[in-house]
């Protein structure tokens, strides 16, 4: 299947896709779901290429795998688990069974408990020793941090609860800075860890407990745990009434819809959080029912596959023209790269094509004044994904928003059109002549023909935000199925954890570095000489 696609690419790769772009193509190469529109007309995918790409989905059984995911089959085969983050937002759906038992009553009961707790925090009915909660500190890392941290920023216009802080790094600079800004008597600490064993999180949680115990008598009363490990949360001293549990069929990077989203719920309130879930649920329904040719997650996935596995473009830039989505690229880095950054297929064979792309990005327009130079004139092609809202939340400054939108549209146009030598010459013909004109003009040439997609939506409300994140989750799912890998394990993070544990006594000086590699010994010597 890859051979046909690569042959098709070879046949069309010299074509300038701008020449195909009339209004018919613009309509044909875009699709909508709910409030969201995906435009992928500014790519070199034509009708034949799209048919081949969509056929990949049929050949690799994406529909059957999708249905297996939604119905609780153990599609995470290397860990023998179901993959059911979709159950966390199945507000109006029917039963979802895992091993013959409906998980929905527990899911809905936990959501209701979260809502009650959150509203008590927000109203002041639940208070700290010093009174109403003013600050919430979420301690977690990876999926137990990136989702809610990104979400609280994304939902800033709806944030009317206590201040929320996020501590993830084991670097003491992270927690020290956050705790310095909080009063322990009015702070709620949320320890978010699926396993409740992650060394960074547990170390930071102990630091927070020590900090709070200097001023607060009953420290446990101001701690909450979000975890699948009830035994470990009890051991840490957190009362079961403030433990919000979930099951191992919720992957860390897919977990912001349930208890891991508690800090987001505290920030925006129960109703807005439910709207966020409903947006995701709407995208689930769309993903399950829309034809592939109209299916946003499927289309986004095949565009990604075309660029990465077929054209060989190794990275993807995510460029939100929506400042509140400033942490979306970081969130997507975990979602995409921890899910699809694997070299082995489900059956243990080597992957026949490259694994998922390197994902990176920054909000526009900031990126324009930093790395867009490379995107426009560098020798590598970087497919870009633009996100833009029709309206922001600052109605009084709508003229600025319009400028933002114009910049977003201009960038995808510039990437596509480029500027040829003739035009570049005409730009500087009044300043230079002869060889110098040629030299100066060449520096001003833009190759163009650089692909991008644009996701547009009316405004980043909680509902739209839910749609957007679920869209990305399902896109990663489709890409993973087509690549034939398991998007739901993460063995690649284990080796570093093991070696860090082994090196800790060496760094502390209680164990000799003898037997380690020369480079590590040299670095330990240097750091010890300087006081580590
Ligand atoms: O090390 C990777 C990882 O396991 C992620 O997959 C996960 O999101 C993160 O660590 C945090 O894990 P936990 O929620 O168990 O603390």
């Amino acid at each position: 299947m890859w051979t046909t696609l690569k042959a098709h690419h070879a046949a069309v790769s010299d074509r300038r896709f701008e020449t195909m772009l009339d209004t018919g193509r613009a309509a044909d190469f875009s699709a909508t779901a709910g409030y969201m529109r995906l435009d992928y007309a500014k790519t070199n995918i034509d009708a034949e290429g799209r048919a081949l790409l969509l056929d990949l989905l049929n050949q690799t059984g994406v529909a059957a795998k999708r249905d297996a995911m939604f119905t609780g089959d153990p599609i995470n085969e290397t860990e023998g688990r179901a993959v059911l983050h979709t159950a966390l937002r199945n507000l109006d759906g029917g039963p979802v069974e895992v091993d013959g038992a409906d998980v929905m009553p527990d899911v809905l009961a936990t959501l209701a408990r979260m809502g009650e707790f959150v509203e008590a925090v927000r109203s002041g009915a639940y208070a700290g020793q010093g009174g109403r909660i003013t600050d919430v500190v979420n301690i977690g890392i990876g999926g137990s941090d990136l989702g809610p941290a990104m979400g609280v920023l994304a939902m800033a216009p709806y944030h009317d609860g206590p201040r929320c802080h996020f501590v993830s790094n084991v670097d003491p600079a992270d927690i020290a800075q956050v705790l310095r800004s909080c009063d322990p008597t009015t702070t709620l600490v949320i320890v978010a860890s699926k396993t409740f064993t992650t060394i960074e999180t547990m170390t930071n949680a102990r630091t927070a407990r020590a900090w709070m115990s200097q001023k607060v008598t009953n420290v446990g009363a101001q701690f909450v745990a979000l975890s699948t490990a009830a035994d470990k949360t009890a051991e840490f001293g957190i009362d079961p009434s403030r433990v919000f549990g979930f099951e191992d069929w919720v992957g860390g990077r897919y977990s912001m819809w349930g208890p891991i989203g508690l800090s987001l719920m505290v920030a925006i309130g129960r109703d807005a959080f439910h709207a966020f879930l409903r947006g995701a649920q709407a995208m689930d329904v769309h993903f399950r029912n829309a034809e592939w040719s109209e299916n946003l997650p499927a289309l986004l996935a095949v565009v990604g596959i075309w660029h990465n596995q077929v054209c060989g473009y190794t990275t993807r830039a995510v460029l939100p023209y929506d400042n509140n989505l400033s942490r979306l690229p970081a969130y997507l880095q975990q979602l995409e790269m921890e899910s699809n950054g694997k070299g082995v297929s489900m059956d243990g064979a080597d992957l026949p094509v490259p694994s998922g792309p390197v994902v990176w990005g920054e909000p526009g327009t900031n990126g324009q004044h930093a790395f867009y130079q490379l995107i426009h004139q560098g020798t590598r092609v970087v497919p870009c994904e633009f996100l833009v809202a029709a309206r922001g939340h600052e109605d009084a400054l709508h003229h600025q928003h319009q400028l933002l939108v114009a910049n977003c549209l201009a960038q995808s146009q510039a990437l596509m059109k480029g500027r040829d030598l003739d035009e570049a010459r005409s730009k500087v013909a009044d300043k230079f002549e002869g060889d110098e004109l040629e030299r100066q003009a060449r520096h001003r040439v833009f190759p163009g023909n650089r692909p991008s997609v644009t996701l547009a939506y009316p405004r980043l409300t909680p509902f739209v935000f839910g749609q957007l994140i679920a869209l990305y989750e399902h896109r990663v799912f489709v890409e993973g199925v087509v690549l034939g890998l398991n998007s739901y394990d993460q063995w690649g993070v284990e080796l570093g954890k093991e070696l860090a544990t082994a090196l800790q006594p060496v760094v502390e000086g209680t164990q000799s570095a003898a037997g380690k590699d020369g480079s590590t010994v040299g670095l330990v010597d240097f750091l010890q000489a300087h006081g580590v």
Side-chain angles (χ1 to χ4, degrees):
M1 60 186 189
W2 295 109
T3 320
T4 324
L5 263 166
K6 284 186 177 165
H8 175 70
H9 172 241
V12 301
S13 60
D14 288 341
R15 165 179 69 194
R16 289 197 71 90
F17 61 80
E18 186 191 358
T19 57
M20 304 191 285
L21 194 49
D22 55 18
T23 48
R25 174 175 166 86
D28 190 14
F29 285 74
S30 58
T32 51
Y35 296 119
M36 201 158 279
R37 177 185 171 100
L38 167 68
D39 178 309
Y40 61 105
K42 292 192 188 92
T43 66
N44 198 14
I45 300 173
D46 57 18
E48 187 188 341
R50 179 173 59 191
L52 289 172
L53 286 163
L54 293 179
D55 197 39
L56 273 184
L57 309 189
N58 300 328
Q59 290 180 45
T60 53
V62 173
K65 258 285 174 51
R66 172 196 62 193
D67 296 344
M69 173 173 76
F70 276 97
T71 50
D73 287 3
I75 64 162
N76 174 355
E77 292 178 22
T78 55
E79 296 180 314
R81 291 176 185 168
V83 172
L84 269 182
H85 47 279
T86 51
L88 300 175
R89 58 224 191 191
N90 178 34
L91 298 188
D92 308 319
V96 178
E97 289 190 359
V98 175
D99 298 330
D102 182 11
V103 301
M104 287 315 299
D106 275 355
V107 166
L108 296 176
T110 303
L111 182 64
R113 277 184 60 228
M114 286 168 64
E116 276 162 31
F117 178 71
V118 158
E119 290 310 317
V121 170
R122 289 163 54 89
S123 69
Y126 167 92
Q129 184 175 301
R132 197 187 188 96
I133 296 296
T134 54
D135 294 84
V136 171
V137 178
N138 184 88
I139 298 178
I141 197 163
S144 298
D145 165 74
L146 287 163
M150 179 271 297
V152 166
L153 283 179
M155 294 289 90
Y158 301 88
H159 190 155
D160 53 5
R163 285 184 291 269
C164 290
H165 313 266
F166 292 87
V167 172
S168 52
N169 202 322
V170 78
D171 184 336
D174 196 6
I175 191 156
Q177 194 183 340
V178 167
L179 297 185
R180 260 196 295 274
S181 68
C182 299
D183 172 352
T185 69
T186 57
T187 295
L188 176 70
V189 175
I190 298 177
V191 186
S193 175
K194 179 175 166 180
T195 55
F196 232 68
T197 57
T198 305
I199 193 149
E200 291 91 336
T201 300
M202 299 324 296
T203 306
N204 277 323
R206 284 190 291 272
T207 299
R209 190 169 57 185
W211 165 79
M212 193 177 275
S213 66
Q214 292 168 8
K215 293 270 170 60
V216 172
T217 332
N218 184 5
V219 172
Q222 283 176 229
F223 267 67
V224 167
L226 317 175
S227 184
T228 56
D231 50 337
K232 299 198 174 65
T233 59
E235 224 171 86
F236 191 84
I238 302 180
D239 191 85
S241 63
R242 282 186 309 284
V243 176
F244 298 93
F246 52 104
E247 301 294 328
D248 66 7
W249 38 256
V250 181
R253 52 194 174 275
Y254 298 86
S255 63
M256 69 181 295
W257 317 100
I260 295 295
L262 192 79
S263 48
L264 175 59
M265 199 196 257
V266 172
I268 64 178
R270 176 172 42 194
D271 292 349
F273 191 83
H274 283 190
F276 163 64
L277 297 184
R278 284 191 190 285
Q281 190 185 21
M283 186 55 74
D284 293 343
V285 171
H286 168 82
F287 179 47
R288 292 183 85 171
N289 297 311
E291 294 294 329
W292 289 147
S293 59
E294 297 298 322
N295 195 304
L296 257 58
L299 290 169
L300 207 50
V302 297
V303 172
I305 287 166
W306 168 258
H307 288 144
N308 187 14
Q309 281 78 21
V310 182
C311 302
Y313 308 145
T314 54
T315 85
R316 174 192 303 153
V318 177
L319 307 165
Y321 279 68
D322 199 328
N323 205 55
N324 292 333
L325 289 175
S326 60
R327 290 290 285 163
L328 181 70
Y331 172 83
L332 292 180
Q333 280 177 335
Q334 189 198 15
L335 186 66
E336 287 261 358
M337 292 159 76
E338 204 174 74
S339 297
N340 290 344
K342 290 153 194 173
V344 170
S345 322
M346 198 68 104
D347 61 5
D350 285 347
L351 223 59
V353 285
S355 55
V358 175
V359 176
W360 58 286
E362 277 288 319
T365 57
N366 300 11
Q368 289 175 208
H369 297 273
F371 54 79
Y372 278 39
Q373 165 64 44
L374 180 147
I375 290 181
H376 284 292
Q377 285 190 316
T379 52
R380 289 178 192 81
V381 175
V382 179
C384 294
E385 226 157 78
F386 295 99
L387 293 102
V388 68
R391 293 196 74 91
H393 289 83
E394 313 301 334
D395 285 341
L397 297 173
H398 187 59
H399 63 287
Q400 279 194 223
H401 185 80
Q402 289 171 327
L403 185 54
L404 177 74
V405 173
N407 269 277
C408 178
L409 300 178
Q411 289 300 325
S412 64
Q413 242 186 1
L415 285 167
M416 174 178 69
K417 287 179 166 303
R419 173 177 288 156
D420 64 18
L421 190 56
D422 280 346
E423 200 186 335
R425 258 192 223 109
S426 71
K427 287 273 173 197
V428 285
D430 57 337
K431 292 199 193 75
F432 308 104
E433 57 188 26
D435 288 351
E436 186 58 5
L437 172 60
E438 282 309 291
R439 190 172 77 88
Q440 291 287 349
R442 277 187 55 75
H443 286 277
R444 289 156 173 84
V445 168
F446 289 63
N449 215 24
R450 302 206 158 180
S452 67
V453 300
T454 301
L455 272 169
Y457 43 88
R459 174 181 256 166
L460 193 65
T461 60
F463 187 93
V464 168
F465 178 52
Q467 272 193 304
L468 179 70
I469 301 304
L471 164 63
Y472 275 112
E473 286 181 347
H474 294 321
R475 179 252 199 107
V476 168
F477 167 84
V478 175
E479 285 179 346
V481 176
V482 171
L483 295 178
L485 48 77
N486 182 3
S487 300
Y488 300 100
D489 60 13
Q490 55 282 321
W491 301 109
V493 300
E494 294 304 323
L495 181 59
K497 287 185 194 171
E498 283 167 28
L499 295 184
T501 306
L503 276 170
Q504 194 178 351
V506 175
V507 170
E508 288 169 352
T510 56
Q511 210 181 79
S512 145
K516 309 282 179 214
D517 65 89
S519 163
T520 304
V521 172
L523 288 167
V524 168
D525 283 352
F526 176 86
L527 292 165
Q528 283 179 340
H530 289 82
V532 71

